[in-house]
Amino acid sequence: LNPDGWIGENWEELGYDIIAFFPSFNPPDCNDCGQGYGDLEVDYQDTSEDWWNIVETHDPVFIITFSRGYINNSWEMEWKYYNRLGWIDDFTPPYQPTPAPPDQDSPINHMRFSSLPMTEIVEAINSSDLGLYSYIDYAEGAGGYLSEYKGFHGVWYKDLMENEDETPCYLAGHVHVGGLVDWGTAHEAVLITVSETIQYIYEHILIPGDVNRDGTINSLDIFMILSHLNGSIELTDDQFFFADMDEDAEITIHDVVLLVNELLFIDR
């Protein structure tokens, strides 16, 4: 897929490295594809083991998982994922996930939800010239097989990591790709999906000045910067990033002034 080497570093100069992992199949354009080989095989144990190794190595900011969906030209955004006890059997014993349910700290059938900008992705795909039909599936789960299992792992990891100071994961969700979608079209649709996700992060999550990460800019954020300046607290790396209003890699009174001006603008 990348004959000239990895091209995901600082993708489109937007500040994010895009890294993909996937199983391989022989032949690659298959119908009854079986388990495959390599990363994230169609096997519960292999997928889960690979998954936790990948996220622990890369600390992802957002996660988009993909799998083959209906045999059509759809781009289906899955909304809901269950912590299921029973799953459709895979190819190799043990045929079910171990443990089951996957998240032992949550109740059986506990629901988690996609946090991807699904509406924005759907609108961007449908307004493109790719000929795809994109929609959000609000039905009961994502199929109870490896697709939902991967999707559940994504939103599960996001829930675990969204409040981490050093390595937060902001968004996660799953896309079912229609089985009639050709490689080139799927590639272009992935680029749109990734682009819309990054744009959403910039516009709705990475808000300069929201030092305490509560989704709003207020006097508490000013207090945190002042407390950092007088030495009563030390900002974490994540808090430092949002406090550095002038992006000069330092926290000074100038950042406080810029934040106050921003707050006054919001209040008006």
Side-chain angles (χ1 to χ4, degrees):
L1 293 181
N2 289 286
D4 298 322
W6 176 49
I7 60 174
E9 186 174 10
N10 191 16
W11 183 72
E12 298 290 323
E13 297 186 352
L14 293 174
Y16 294 87
D17 295 340
I18 308 300
I19 305 173
F21 295 86
F22 46 88
S24 298
F25 300 93
N26 189 15
D29 194 5
C30 53
N31 290 316
D32 297 321
C33 297
Q35 181 169 322
Y37 55 93
D39 295 313
L40 303 173
E41 295 174 11
V42 187
D43 178 87
Y44 294 111
Q45 287 72 32
D46 180 85
T47 287
S48 191
E49 180 179 357
D50 289 344
W51 177 275
W52 295 112
N53 287 334
I54 289 168
V55 295
E56 289 172 6
T57 300
H58 294 285
D59 298 321
V61 173
F62 65 89
I63 297 171
I64 309 173
T65 53
F66 299 87
S67 65
R68 187 168 68 172
Y70 296 117
I71 307 304
N72 56 20
N73 286 291
S74 62
W75 198 258
E76 179 186 7
M77 307 297 302
E78 294 290 355
W79 179 53
K80 188 186 302 182
Y81 315 84
Y82 285 93
N83 191 36
R84 297 178 185 270
L85 177 63
W87 299 75
I88 297 171
D89 285 351
D90 63 18
F91 295 95
T92 304
Y95 300 108
Q96 292 281 309
T98 51
D103 179 6
Q104 293 283 288
D105 295 326
S106 297
I108 294 172
N109 288 332
H110 173 67
M111 289 183 293
R112 286 189 162 93
F113 300 91
S114 173
S115 52
L116 295 178
M118 296 187 294
T119 300
E120 290 85 345
I121 293 170
V122 166
E123 290 176 353
I125 294 292
N126 287 336
S127 64
S128 70
D129 60 356
L130 296 178
L132 299 179
Y133 167 53
S134 185
Y135 63 97
I136 302 171
D137 178 13
Y138 291 108
E140 295 298 305
Y145 192 36
L146 264 296
S147 297
E148 184 165 9
Y149 190 69
K150 281 193 295 184
F152 182 85
H153 273 64
V155 295
W156 179 15
Y157 179 81
K158 178 261 180 185
D159 286 352
L160 291 173
M161 300 297 292
E162 62 182 340
N163 294 316
E164 286 291 313
D165 287 334
E166 302 298 330
T167 56
C169 183
Y170 298 119
L171 304 171
H174 188 80
V175 180
H176 261 126
V177 180
L180 298 182
V181 181
D182 62 78
W183 300 109
T185 301
H187 180 257
E188 292 302 315
V190 166
L191 299 185
I192 292 173
T193 302
V194 170
S195 178
E196 290 295 324
T197 302
I198 292 175
Q199 182 175 341
Y200 183 87
I201 289 176
Y202 276 135
E203 293 180 354
H204 299 281
I205 296 177
L206 300 182
I207 305 172
D210 183 15
V211 182
N212 63 356
R213 311 302 298 124
D214 64 356
T216 60
I217 299 174
N218 52 42
S219 59
L220 294 176
D221 301 301
I222 297 173
F223 177 77
M224 288 188 69
I225 298 179
L226 291 173
S227 298
H228 174 82
L229 290 174
N230 67 26
S232 59
I233 69 169
E234 183 176 352
L235 297 177
T236 67
D237 289 346
D238 191 52
Q239 293 167 344
F240 190 101
F241 173 84
F242 292 99
D244 185 14
M245 297 293 291
D246 57 10
E247 299 182 354
D248 65 351
E250 294 182 322
I251 302 299
T252 66
I253 197 65
H254 185 238
D255 296 301
V256 177
V257 172
L258 291 175
L259 181 52
V260 169
N261 289 339
E262 181 71 19
L263 184 56
L264 290 173
F265 176 79
I266 292 172
D267 287 342
R268 280 200 299 269

